[in-house]
Amino acid sequence: MSVSSEKQGLNQEYSLCMPKDFERSRNLLQQVYEKQVVLEYIFTRGITAYGGIRVNNRGFHKEVSVKYSIDQWKTASVIHAYHSIFYYDSNTNLFQFKLTITNDELLLMLSTKDSTSSILPMSISFAICYVVHEHNFWDNNYSLDYILEIEENTEKRSKSILLDDAFRVQIAKDYRAISHGSDQAGIVCGLKNLGGTCFMNSVLQSLLFTSPLTSYFLLNEDMKNISVSNEIIVNEYLNLIYLLFCKKYAVIIPVPFKQIIGHMQDIYFENQQQDAHEFLLFLLDYLHEDLIRIKLTSIIVDLFHGTYKSTTTCIDCEHFSINFETFVCLTLPIPLTSRCTLEDCLQHLYEDEYLADDSRWFCSECQRLCNGKKQLEIYKLPKILIIQLKRFQLNHEFNWIKNDTLVLYPADNLSLQQSCPSSSSQQALYTLYSVISHQGSLNDGHYTTFCRDNEQLQWFECDDEKIKYFNSDKLDSNSNAYLLFYIMKNAT
């Protein structure tokens, strides 16, 4: 094959895929104790493979790497795996790796495509090395090497979960989906907690019940043509939402989604407790960026973006300046009391802020730093209103403490017309459909979600993989409410 034809071949799209006879590890822990290092799972997206490696915890100075080859080990490349979690119950560690085939490697494969070989020319071989105090332990699938095949994408084989039945089955295997059973309430699918990942599960369940967003991903024609190699977050979110919504499964294990976002943001790589509000903003931002690349518009902007209007006035000359700022989440302070209403929290948000001393404002009229007054109001309301109740704050000793004040929030007919004078009475009317609650302290807490199905008008309690019917009357006594999700009544 000539160099020009090889480069022309790179204009095609290629994908890594699992061999049909590939078997995942059975009796995993027994194999770990016998072999020290075992491939626990692997999944592919485009020309990238993600995997998890379980190893025996033999010492503190250890590392894991993956050696892979595209030409029967004539030329080998090594990548290092990242430590993820230590399992106390089995005294083992999990390391994760990401292996992406480069254009140069694809060129080499294409150049040997017609050569005779005992290994498929369009495939890669790999083995795993576990090093403890310079002692090597190898897992190469019982001397057979692990193999990943590379195939050329064609119109006959789509890589969208909405179009390809074979790909849909593979995604269900990647998420180790468990078929629906009698233990789960209704048809809602649970999410397995990976060890401190309830923050992620609660956000995903709330977004699943955000009906305009879910409908967009599952029904919009643009979602059928996204490229897994270029829009990895939005593609994986589509895979996840499909499994949660298709009504076939009771529980899925969100390892693929978790590992992919971990490679995008380090703090989400390990299985540790994180803030649900921060993760929500992270996910919406990445979905927005991917959607902008696909079609130059974003459903995230249309649904979630609102606008603040802030007016700063000089105390000396009364000159004022107006600024506008986009927000995705309305963060409300909570009064220091045992009980208050959501309206009380809103009033605290709009209290005048006086700018003095180190916070003085530069007045363009006076041409100097002056004392000022800042007023805030909502200029444009979003279709999906997310409210964060600011429960965590630093005390005088710089320790994080939690405010357990009971905030009473309406489930129906929340009106924000007073907070947003530019809106009509209909535009400012909202209905609650999800609440993320946080029990415990900042460092030792647990997230759960209460969600309403708009079709069935039924509330559910989502506690990771456990789904129960929920009596909405109990929302009135929920002193752990942290994130409130409202939908505008006339939103489409």
Side-chain angles (χ1 to χ4, degrees):
M1 182 180 290
S2 66
V3 174
S4 61
S5 60
E6 291 167 12
K7 290 185 177 179
Q8 186 177 4
L10 285 181
N11 292 329
Q12 306 294 327
E13 285 193 3
Y14 294 88
S15 294
L16 282 171
C17 60
M18 311 295 295
K20 294 181 180 179
D21 58 351
F22 187 92
E23 292 187 8
R24 288 173 169 78
S25 299
R26 299 180 180 177
N27 301 320
L28 178 67
L29 292 181
Q30 181 180 346
Q31 290 187 42
V32 171
Y33 297 139
E34 291 176 357
K35 300 170 57 180
Q36 309 305 323
V37 51
V38 173
L39 180 67
E40 179 172 349
Y41 65 85
I42 187 169
F43 63 94
T44 61
R45 298 291 184 268
I47 55 173
T48 300
Y50 300 84
I53 303 161
R54 186 78 76 97
V55 301
N56 196 343
N57 185 30
R58 293 172 57 89
F60 295 102
H61 304 288
K62 50 186 175 292
E63 60 184 78
V64 173
S65 59
V66 177
K67 181 173 74 172
Y68 71 97
S69 171
I70 61 174
D71 54 2
Q72 291 186 279
W73 301 110
K74 296 175 185 176
T75 304
S77 300
V78 176
I79 60 173
H80 294 287
Y82 296 89
H83 178 260
S84 175
I85 190 171
F86 170 64
Y87 294 95
Y88 292 94
D89 56 344
S90 58
N91 197 34
T92 58
N93 292 89
L94 179 69
F95 288 77
Q96 300 181 65
F97 68 88
K98 176 184 177 183
L99 191 165
T100 300
I101 306 303
T102 65
N103 282 347
D104 289 342
E105 290 166 330
L106 277 174
L107 278 172
L108 180 56
M109 292 180 187
L110 289 170
S111 68
T112 60
K113 191 172 182 179
D114 297 327
S115 63
T116 58
S117 172
S118 58
I119 297 179
L120 291 172
M122 292 294 284
S123 64
I124 64 171
S125 308
F126 69 95
I128 302 162
C129 181
Y130 169 41
V131 181
V132 180
H133 298 298
E134 300 182 353
H135 294 284
N136 295 346
F137 301 91
W138 284 93
D139 173 28
N140 62 343
N141 200 21
Y142 295 100
S143 302
L144 297 177
D145 294 330
Y146 291 104
I147 301 293
L148 288 175
E149 298 172 357
I150 295 185
E151 65 176 20
E152 181 180 326
N153 293 347
T154 64
E155 292 182 0
K156 295 181 180 179
R157 183 171 176 79
S158 167
K159 283 300 179 183
S160 169
I161 197 171
L162 300 178
L163 297 176
D164 193 314
D165 290 337
F167 188 60
R168 192 177 298 142
V169 171
Q170 183 61 56
I171 294 296
K173 289 181 180 178
D174 292 343
Y175 280 85
R176 288 174 267 183
I178 300 172
S179 298
H180 230 293
S182 57
D183 294 338
Q184 213 72 300
I187 52 176
V188 182
C189 181
L191 287 159
K192 183 77 173 179
N193 192 319
L194 305 177
T197 58
C198 55
F199 72 93
M200 179 184 76
N201 293 346
S202 62
V203 168
L204 291 172
Q205 292 287 12
S206 291
L207 291 181
L208 171 69
F209 281 84
T210 305
S211 53
L213 183 66
T214 298
S215 296
Y216 177 86
F217 271 88
L218 298 181
L219 300 178
N220 193 286
E221 289 295 321
D222 292 327
M223 291 297 101
K224 298 177 181 178
N225 301 313
I226 60 176
S227 171
V228 67
S229 59
N230 296 326
E231 290 83 37
I232 186 64
I233 291 290
V234 74
N235 184 82
E236 201 57 37
Y237 182 76
L238 173 61
N239 293 339
L240 180 68
I241 286 296
Y242 176 85
L243 294 180
L244 289 172
F245 194 79
C246 70
K247 305 176 183 179
K248 295 180 180 179
Y249 307 111
V251 177
I252 63 173
I253 303 176
V255 166
F257 187 82
K258 171 68 165 49
Q259 185 165 353
I260 286 171
I261 65 169
H263 283 285
M264 305 294 289
Q265 184 70 269
D266 288 346
I267 63 170
Y268 300 124
F269 201 79
E270 297 184 2
N271 292 349
Q272 294 179 347
Q273 182 73 270
Q274 301 291 342
D275 181 68
H277 171 246
E278 293 179 358
F279 175 73
L280 171 65
L281 297 181
F282 158 83
L283 179 56
L284 291 178
D285 184 56
Y286 268 87
L287 290 176
H288 165 70
E289 292 296 330
D290 280 354
L291 290 170
I292 285 292
R293 284 196 293 269
I294 295 172
K295 54 176 297 188
L296 302 179
T297 59
S298 170
I299 187 69
I300 305 301
V301 172
D302 183 50
L303 291 179
F304 295 95
H305 282 200
T307 306
Y308 284 128
K309 176 184 176 182
S310 63
T311 304
T312 307
T313 304
C314 177
I315 298 295
D316 295 336
C317 70
E318 296 188 353
H319 174 72
F320 65 90
S321 173
I322 297 176
N323 290 303
F324 296 91
E325 181 182 353
T326 299
F327 70 88
V328 175
C329 185
L330 199 62
T331 299
L332 301 183
I334 304 175
L336 293 176
T337 180
S338 61
R339 181 187 180 102
C340 69
T341 66
L342 192 60
E343 288 73 17
D344 296 329
C345 299
L346 284 165
Q347 289 300 320
H348 277 69
L349 178 68
Y350 303 126
E351 289 179 348
D352 292 344
E353 178 185 358
Y354 288 91
L355 308 175
D357 300 327
D358 293 339
S359 300
R360 286 182 297 167
W361 174 63
F362 183 83
C363 175
S364 59
E365 188 72 20
C366 299
Q367 286 296 302
R368 59 184 173 84
L369 291 173
C370 299
N371 292 333
K373 180 178 68 174
K374 187 175 181 179
Q375 296 172 305
L376 187 68
E377 66 180 51
I378 299 176
Y379 181 76
K380 176 182 174 293
L381 288 165
K383 294 178 182 177
I384 302 296
L385 176 67
I386 304 173
I387 296 176
Q388 178 201 23
L389 298 175
K390 198 172 181 180
R391 293 204 175 273
F392 302 102
Q393 57 187 348
L394 286 170
N395 61 13
H396 297 297
E397 299 176 352
F398 296 99
N399 295 319
W400 286 100
I401 58 174
K402 184 179 177 183
N403 186 334
D404 291 317
T405 295
L406 173 62
V407 179
L408 299 176
Y409 47 91
D412 294 293
N413 299 321
L414 169 66
S415 176
L416 292 185
Q417 190 171 19
Q418 289 186 346
S419 302
C420 184
S422 60
S423 64
S424 67
S425 58
Q426 284 299 108
Q427 289 176 323
L429 208 57
Y430 286 87
T431 299
L432 183 74
Y433 70 90
S434 184
V435 179
I436 293 179
S437 295
H438 179 273
Q439 299 89 32
S441 64
L442 180 65
N443 298 319
D444 185 20
H446 180 62
Y447 289 99
T448 57
T449 310
F450 306 117
C451 299
R452 177 161 65 178
D453 185 341
N454 288 331
E455 293 183 1
Q456 302 180 43
L457 299 179
Q458 172 67 55
W459 281 88
F460 297 94
E461 179 181 0
C462 305
D463 185 357
D464 292 325
E465 63 186 280
K466 300 176 183 177
I467 310 295
K468 303 176 182 177
Y469 290 113
F470 180 72
N471 187 343
S472 60
D473 292 341
K474 295 181 181 179
L475 293 174
D476 293 335
S477 58
N478 179 19
S479 61
N480 294 311
Y482 181 49
L483 294 173
L484 309 176
F485 292 73
Y486 285 91
I487 184 169
M488 191 179 287
K489 287 214 168 184
N490 64 349
T492 57

